Amino acid sequence: MVTENFLNLPQTTTAEAAVEPARDATPESVIDVRELQAYYGENRALKDISLSLYSRRVSAIIGPSGCGKSTLVRCLNRMHEMSSGGHVKGEVLYQGENIYGAGVDPVELRSRIGMVFQKPNPFPKSIFENVAFGLKVNGISGNTSERVERSLRRAALWDEVKDRLKQSALQLSGGQQQRLCIARALAVEPEVILMDEPCSALDPMATLAVEELIRELSQEVTIIIVTHNMQQAARVSHHTAFLMMDQDKAGYLVEYGPTSEVFTNPKSEHTEAYITGRFS
Amino acid sequence: MIPAIARDRPIPMSRTVRKARGTAFILLAILATSLGMVALAALLLDVLRDGIGVLSLEFINSFPHYQAEKAGAKSALAGTLWVMSLTAVFAMVAGVGAAIYLEEFAVRNWFTRIVEININNLAGVPSVVYGLLGLAIFVYWMGLGRSVLAGALTLALLILPIIVVAAREGLRSVPPTIREAAMALGSTRWQAVRFQVLPAAMPTILTGFILALARAVGETAPLIAIGAFTTVLFVPTTPTDSFTVLPVQIYSWISKPLPEFRENAAAGIIVLLVVLMLMNAVAITLRNIYSRRSRW
Ligand SMILES: Nc1ncnc2c1ncn2[C@@H]1O[C@H](COP(=O)(O)OP(=O)(O)OP(=O)(O)O)[C@@H](O)[C@H]1O
Ligand SMILES: [Mg+2]
């Protein structure tokens, strides 16, 4: 059933086409990146990135390895500065406010902009504690178990783990671990979720489950997903950004627009070459 | 026919030779292990033979006496328990604290590098030097006198480097992705360390702690240097009381000319070993609790 669909899915089908008519045609932007430069020490990893990411939409970031996709999403919740030598120039406006401005607390910001990493990285604790951790550190008290259950349900994991919430999260399969990480991020009810190649460690079935989840979540939250999988970008995203590296190895934005346009009618020949696989 | 390339290769060792070498190595390893075991067993047997006759509740419950058969280890045992408890607390707090600062918070620069090098060097300083340091700082300068507190601080200083090194090792073995995961959920750096990194590092930290305490419990020289008394006829009730400890008591019995005191010394050694094993048992239990909860 689902697998068949996965294989037969025409490449041009996009989530944009499937969006229910009730949704407003011109989405409002929640994150505005303005001339962002990101550095690792002296090395510039991102150059002059400007783009707007839309509320309650899925935006995909694609591009060849090393072009700075991870760096870009990590700039959006100020995780980039955790890397040694990581610093930025330029602005990232979140709901109109520059997150790099004075007086912005990155800790508070990160509880509003959640993140799911490429490799599942559950805490070496029980399933329950994994999901409850975000609640604890953010001082969200009261009906913790209810919230844990709701998050696990939203991440489509509840039925598989409801009888073993006390077991170590490390005993879960890779796909379950990744869904647990998604549940963990959902528990603090972020407005935006950044996903850095969330399916790269998953099999096709688990990938499909996560994609389904992304589609459902996009009704309520803004999702930004990095992916190496063109079909995935086409399947789940409304907008797609294509990044590339220039001669001095800094990533820049080649093209950004509605996914259907980027995939069927790319403006740049580089984009076309990349999505048709003539370029890696 | 064998191709030319294969003929140029060195002839591989025959399977029997390789097997024989493997067996020889295993035998050697067993021999090395049993050497240690035999030496330890001989030592234990010798001590048990000498001391078991004297060992009794009365021995544990009596103060030192000039007659060997009336002498006991009560004050020394109490002193050891007092000093070790305080040493454990001081060394753990300061050692783990320093390790957390160096690993998780400090910016790498020349200052932290000097601190690092010095901590590693401190682990190699002879213990009597710590005794002299304790005498100068805790006994005289801080005016603590020859008290339990001065002794505990001196021993804590002595084992601090071991604990710092072990704790840093433990913290470093926690994958950075755990810290990132915690921070990405909106925890502060301290919350990430307190709730995720430290519990995950705890098994390694406690292993270092066990080794460090085992070293401290047997130390005689630094405590003699700060002037622990050899004959104490009371049990310390506050950290400012003067004290003696089991190793010092054992040392004083061994150096007495009367042969009967040898048996007291042996009994004292048995008591010391039991204290050591109980301490280890507590630490190992703690470690198992932690590693059951956090295993990659
Ligand atoms: N911690 C770091 N320190 C220094 N340089 C880094 C660090 N992380 C990434 N870089 C460099 O920054 C550039 C962009 O890296 P980034 O991880 O953002 O690429 P990416 O597009 O996510 O690649 P991939 O698709 O392989 O994940 C690369 O040239 C990389 O070498
Ligand atoms: Mg990446």
Side-chain angles (χ1 to χ4, degrees), chain A residues 39-41 43-46 61 63-74 80 83-86 118 196-197 226-228 243 245 249-251:
Chain A
Y39 299 81
Y40 289 100
N43 298 326
R44 181 152 73 163
L46 286 178
I61 299 173
S65 185
C67 69
K69 303 180 295 295
S70 300
T71 308
L72 176 57
V73 289
R74 290 167 62 90
H80 178 59
S83 313
S84 68
Q118 177 165 354
D196 189 355
E197 299 185 45
V226 173
T227 177
H228 272 293
L243 299 188
M245 253 185 299
K249 305 233 173 230

Short mmCIF file of all heavy atoms in Angstrom, two decimals, chain A residues 39-41 43-46 61 63-74 80 83-86 118 196-197 226-228 243 245 249-251, ligand 1:
data_model
loop_
_atom_site.label_atom_id
_atom_site.label_comp_id
_atom_site.label_asym_id
_atom_site.label_seq_id
_atom_site.Cartn_x
_atom_site.Cartn_y
_atom_site.Cartn_z
N TYR A 39 30.42 31.99 9.80
CA TYR A 39 31.85 31.68 9.80
C TYR A 39 32.16 30.56 10.77
O TYR A 39 31.50 30.40 11.80
CB TYR A 39 32.67 32.90 10.24
CG TYR A 39 32.52 34.10 9.35
CD1 TYR A 39 31.43 34.94 9.47
CD2 TYR A 39 33.50 34.39 8.40
CE1 TYR A 39 31.29 36.05 8.65
CE2 TYR A 39 33.38 35.50 7.57
CZ TYR A 39 32.27 36.33 7.71
OH TYR A 39 32.14 37.42 6.90
N TYR A 40 33.20 29.78 10.43
CA TYR A 40 33.87 28.91 11.40
C TYR A 40 35.25 29.50 11.56
O TYR A 40 36.11 29.31 10.69
CB TYR A 40 33.96 27.47 10.88
CG TYR A 40 32.62 26.76 10.84
CD1 TYR A 40 31.91 26.65 9.65
CD2 TYR A 40 32.08 26.21 12.00
CE1 TYR A 40 30.69 25.99 9.63
CE2 TYR A 40 30.86 25.55 11.97
CZ TYR A 40 30.17 25.45 10.78
OH TYR A 40 28.96 24.80 10.75
N GLY A 41 35.49 30.23 12.62
CA GLY A 41 36.76 30.94 12.75
C GLY A 41 36.92 31.92 11.61
O GLY A 41 36.09 32.80 11.41
N ASN A 43 37.05 30.95 8.40
CA ASN A 43 36.43 30.45 7.17
C ASN A 43 34.95 30.81 7.09
O ASN A 43 34.18 30.54 8.00
CB ASN A 43 36.56 28.92 7.11
CG ASN A 43 38.01 28.50 7.08
OD1 ASN A 43 38.84 29.18 6.50
ND2 ASN A 43 38.30 27.39 7.71
N ARG A 44 34.61 31.37 5.93
CA ARG A 44 33.21 31.71 5.73
C ARG A 44 32.50 30.50 5.13
O ARG A 44 32.91 29.97 4.10
CB ARG A 44 33.11 32.91 4.79
CG ARG A 44 31.68 33.31 4.54
CD ARG A 44 31.59 34.77 4.24
NE ARG A 44 32.09 35.04 2.89
CZ ARG A 44 31.85 36.17 2.23
NH1 ARG A 44 31.15 37.12 2.79
NH2 ARG A 44 32.32 36.36 1.03
N ALA A 45 31.45 30.05 5.80
CA ALA A 45 30.71 28.88 5.32
C ALA A 45 29.45 29.28 4.57
O ALA A 45 28.96 28.54 3.73
CB ALA A 45 30.36 27.95 6.47
N LEU A 46 28.92 30.48 4.88
CA LEU A 46 27.72 30.96 4.19
C LEU A 46 27.93 32.40 3.79
O LEU A 46 28.48 33.20 4.53
CB LEU A 46 26.49 30.89 5.12
CG LEU A 46 25.88 29.52 5.42
CD1 LEU A 46 24.72 29.71 6.38
CD2 LEU A 46 25.45 28.83 4.16
N ILE A 61 15.60 22.61 2.23
CA ILE A 61 16.89 23.17 1.84
C ILE A 61 17.67 22.04 1.19
O ILE A 61 17.90 21.00 1.81
CB ILE A 61 17.64 23.74 3.05
CG1 ILE A 61 16.81 24.86 3.68
CG2 ILE A 61 19.02 24.23 2.65
CD1 ILE A 61 17.37 25.38 4.97
N GLY A 63 21.00 20.87 -1.66
CA GLY A 63 22.28 21.32 -2.19
C GLY A 63 23.34 20.28 -1.95
O GLY A 63 23.15 19.38 -1.12
N PRO A 64 24.45 20.39 -2.67
CA PRO A 64 25.51 19.38 -2.54
C PRO A 64 26.14 19.38 -1.16
O PRO A 64 26.03 20.35 -0.41
CB PRO A 64 26.53 19.80 -3.61
CG PRO A 64 26.22 21.22 -3.93
CD PRO A 64 24.77 21.41 -3.68
N SER A 65 26.78 18.27 -0.84
CA SER A 65 27.40 18.11 0.47
C SER A 65 28.43 19.20 0.74
O SER A 65 29.22 19.54 -0.14
CB SER A 65 28.07 16.74 0.54
OG SER A 65 28.55 16.53 1.83
N GLY A 66 28.39 19.76 1.92
CA GLY A 66 29.37 20.77 2.31
C GLY A 66 29.00 22.18 1.90
O GLY A 66 29.76 23.12 2.12
N CYS A 67 27.80 22.38 1.32
CA CYS A 67 27.46 23.72 0.84
C CYS A 67 26.90 24.59 1.96
O CYS A 67 26.65 25.77 1.75
CB CYS A 67 26.46 23.63 -0.30
SG CYS A 67 24.84 23.07 0.23
N GLY A 68 26.72 24.03 3.14
CA GLY A 68 26.32 24.86 4.27
C GLY A 68 24.87 24.74 4.70
O GLY A 68 24.35 25.61 5.41
N LYS A 69 24.20 23.66 4.30
CA LYS A 69 22.79 23.49 4.68
C LYS A 69 22.65 23.37 6.20
O LYS A 69 21.81 24.04 6.80
CB LYS A 69 22.22 22.22 4.01
CG LYS A 69 22.35 22.22 2.51
CD LYS A 69 21.78 20.95 1.91
CE LYS A 69 22.54 19.69 2.30
NZ LYS A 69 23.92 19.62 1.80
N SER A 70 23.48 22.52 6.80
CA SER A 70 23.40 22.36 8.26
C SER A 70 23.74 23.67 8.94
O SER A 70 23.09 24.07 9.91
CB SER A 70 24.36 21.27 8.73
OG SER A 70 24.04 20.05 8.13
N THR A 71 24.77 24.32 8.43
CA THR A 71 25.17 25.59 9.02
C THR A 71 24.00 26.58 8.99
O THR A 71 23.73 27.27 9.97
CB THR A 71 26.37 26.17 8.25
OG1 THR A 71 27.39 25.18 8.18
CG2 THR A 71 26.91 27.41 8.94
N LEU A 72 23.30 26.61 7.86
CA LEU A 72 22.18 27.55 7.74
C LEU A 72 21.09 27.26 8.77
O LEU A 72 20.66 28.18 9.47
CB LEU A 72 21.60 27.50 6.31
CG LEU A 72 20.36 28.37 6.07
CD1 LEU A 72 20.64 29.83 6.40
CD2 LEU A 72 19.89 28.26 4.62
N VAL A 73 20.66 26.00 8.89
CA VAL A 73 19.59 25.76 9.87
C VAL A 73 20.09 26.02 11.30
O VAL A 73 19.34 26.50 12.14
CB VAL A 73 18.95 24.35 9.78
CG1 VAL A 73 18.13 24.22 8.54
CG2 VAL A 73 19.96 23.26 9.89
N ARG A 74 21.37 25.73 11.54
CA ARG A 74 21.89 25.98 12.89
C ARG A 74 22.00 27.47 13.20
O ARG A 74 22.10 27.85 14.36
CB ARG A 74 23.24 25.29 13.07
CG ARG A 74 23.10 23.76 13.12
CD ARG A 74 24.44 23.09 12.98
NE ARG A 74 25.34 23.44 14.07
CZ ARG A 74 25.41 22.76 15.20
NH1 ARG A 74 24.69 21.69 15.37
NH2 ARG A 74 26.24 23.14 16.15
N HIS A 80 24.55 27.55 15.88
CA HIS A 80 25.83 27.69 15.18
C HIS A 80 26.93 28.18 16.11
O HIS A 80 28.08 27.77 16.01
CB HIS A 80 25.66 28.66 14.00
CG HIS A 80 26.92 28.93 13.24
ND1 HIS A 80 27.63 27.92 12.63
CD2 HIS A 80 27.61 30.07 13.01
CE1 HIS A 80 28.71 28.43 12.04
NE2 HIS A 80 28.72 29.73 12.27
N SER A 83 29.36 25.74 17.90
CA SER A 83 30.53 25.16 17.24
C SER A 83 31.72 26.04 17.54
O SER A 83 31.58 27.25 17.73
CB SER A 83 30.34 25.11 15.73
OG SER A 83 29.08 24.59 15.41
N SER A 84 32.92 25.43 17.58
CA SER A 84 34.08 26.25 17.92
C SER A 84 34.34 27.24 16.79
O SER A 84 34.39 26.87 15.62
CB SER A 84 35.30 25.36 18.18
OG SER A 84 35.71 24.75 16.99
N GLY A 85 34.47 28.50 17.17
CA GLY A 85 34.72 29.56 16.20
C GLY A 85 33.49 29.99 15.42
O GLY A 85 33.60 30.80 14.50
N GLY A 86 32.34 29.44 15.77
CA GLY A 86 31.14 29.77 15.01
C GLY A 86 30.61 31.17 15.33
O GLY A 86 30.34 31.48 16.48
N GLN A 118 20.37 15.15 12.34
CA GLN A 118 20.55 14.14 11.29
C GLN A 118 20.59 12.73 11.87
O GLN A 118 19.90 11.84 11.41
CB GLN A 118 21.85 14.47 10.57
CG GLN A 118 22.24 13.50 9.50
CD GLN A 118 23.32 14.07 8.61
OE1 GLN A 118 23.71 15.23 8.74
NE2 GLN A 118 23.80 13.27 7.70
N ASP A 196 17.37 18.57 10.32
CA ASP A 196 18.57 18.44 9.50
C ASP A 196 18.69 16.98 9.03
O ASP A 196 19.12 16.12 9.78
CB ASP A 196 19.80 18.84 10.32
CG ASP A 196 21.04 18.94 9.47
OD1 ASP A 196 20.97 18.60 8.27
OD2 ASP A 196 22.08 19.36 10.00
N GLU A 197 18.30 16.73 7.83
CA GLU A 197 18.30 15.37 7.26
C GLU A 197 17.72 14.35 8.24
O GLU A 197 18.40 13.41 8.63
CB GLU A 197 19.72 14.96 6.87
CG GLU A 197 20.31 15.88 5.82
CD GLU A 197 21.67 15.39 5.35
OE1 GLU A 197 21.79 14.19 5.09
OE2 GLU A 197 22.59 16.21 5.25
N VAL A 226 16.24 20.00 5.93
CA VAL A 226 17.39 19.80 5.04
C VAL A 226 17.29 18.40 4.51
O VAL A 226 17.00 17.47 5.26
CB VAL A 226 18.71 19.95 5.83
CG1 VAL A 226 19.90 19.58 4.95
CG2 VAL A 226 18.86 21.35 6.36
N THR A 227 17.47 18.22 3.22
CA THR A 227 17.43 16.85 2.71
C THR A 227 18.33 16.68 1.49
O THR A 227 18.58 17.62 0.74
CB THR A 227 15.99 16.41 2.37
OG1 THR A 227 16.02 15.11 1.81
CG2 THR A 227 15.32 17.36 1.40
N HIS A 228 18.84 15.45 1.35
CA HIS A 228 19.64 15.10 0.18
C HIS A 228 18.78 14.39 -0.85
O HIS A 228 19.24 14.06 -1.92
CB HIS A 228 20.77 14.15 0.60
CG HIS A 228 21.99 14.87 1.02
ND1 HIS A 228 22.74 15.59 0.13
CD2 HIS A 228 22.60 14.98 2.20
CE1 HIS A 228 23.76 16.12 0.78
NE2 HIS A 228 23.70 15.78 2.04
N LEU A 243 21.11 25.58 -2.37
CA LEU A 243 22.38 26.22 -2.02
C LEU A 243 23.51 25.56 -2.79
O LEU A 243 23.44 24.39 -3.14
CB LEU A 243 22.69 26.06 -0.54
CG LEU A 243 21.77 26.63 0.52
CD1 LEU A 243 22.43 26.50 1.89
CD2 LEU A 243 21.46 28.08 0.25
N MET A 245 28.12 25.87 -3.40
CA MET A 245 29.37 26.46 -2.92
C MET A 245 30.01 27.27 -4.04
O MET A 245 29.99 26.85 -5.18
CB MET A 245 30.34 25.35 -2.54
CG MET A 245 30.53 25.20 -1.07
SD MET A 245 31.78 23.99 -0.73
CE MET A 245 31.14 22.51 -1.44
N LYS A 249 34.53 28.28 -1.42
CA LYS A 249 33.89 27.29 -0.54
C LYS A 249 32.85 27.88 0.39
O LYS A 249 32.53 27.29 1.40
CB LYS A 249 34.94 26.53 0.30
CG LYS A 249 36.02 25.88 -0.51
CD LYS A 249 36.13 24.42 -0.15
CE LYS A 249 37.06 23.73 -1.05
NZ LYS A 249 36.94 22.63 -1.73
N ALA A 250 32.34 29.04 0.08
CA ALA A 250 31.26 29.58 0.89
C ALA A 250 29.94 29.25 0.20
O ALA A 250 29.82 29.34 -1.02
CB ALA A 250 31.42 31.09 1.04
N GLY A 251 28.96 28.84 1.01
CA GLY A 251 27.68 28.48 0.43
C GLY A 251 26.86 29.72 0.11
O GLY A 251 26.85 30.68 0.88
N1 LIG C 1 32.45 22.55 13.29
C1 LIG C 1 32.99 23.00 12.14
N2 LIG C 1 34.20 23.61 12.16
C2 LIG C 1 34.74 24.07 11.01
N3 LIG C 1 34.18 23.97 9.81
C3 LIG C 1 32.98 23.38 9.72
C4 LIG C 1 32.33 22.86 10.88
N4 LIG C 1 31.16 22.32 10.49
C5 LIG C 1 31.09 22.49 9.15
N5 LIG C 1 32.18 23.14 8.68
C6 LIG C 1 32.42 23.51 7.28
O1 LIG C 1 31.39 24.36 6.84
C7 LIG C 1 30.99 24.01 5.52
C8 LIG C 1 29.52 23.75 5.49
O2 LIG C 1 29.24 22.62 6.32
P1 LIG C 1 27.79 22.06 6.58
O3 LIG C 1 27.89 21.03 7.60
O4 LIG C 1 26.88 23.21 6.85
O5 LIG C 1 27.45 21.42 5.15
P2 LIG C 1 26.16 20.62 4.69
O6 LIG C 1 25.62 21.34 3.52
O7 LIG C 1 25.25 20.38 5.84
O8 LIG C 1 26.81 19.25 4.22
P3 LIG C 1 26.19 17.78 4.30
O9 LIG C 1 25.18 17.71 3.24
O10 LIG C 1 27.37 16.91 4.00
O11 LIG C 1 25.64 17.59 5.67
C9 LIG C 1 31.84 22.82 5.10
O12 LIG C 1 32.86 23.28 4.26
C10 LIG C 1 32.41 22.29 6.39
O13 LIG C 1 33.70 21.80 6.17
#
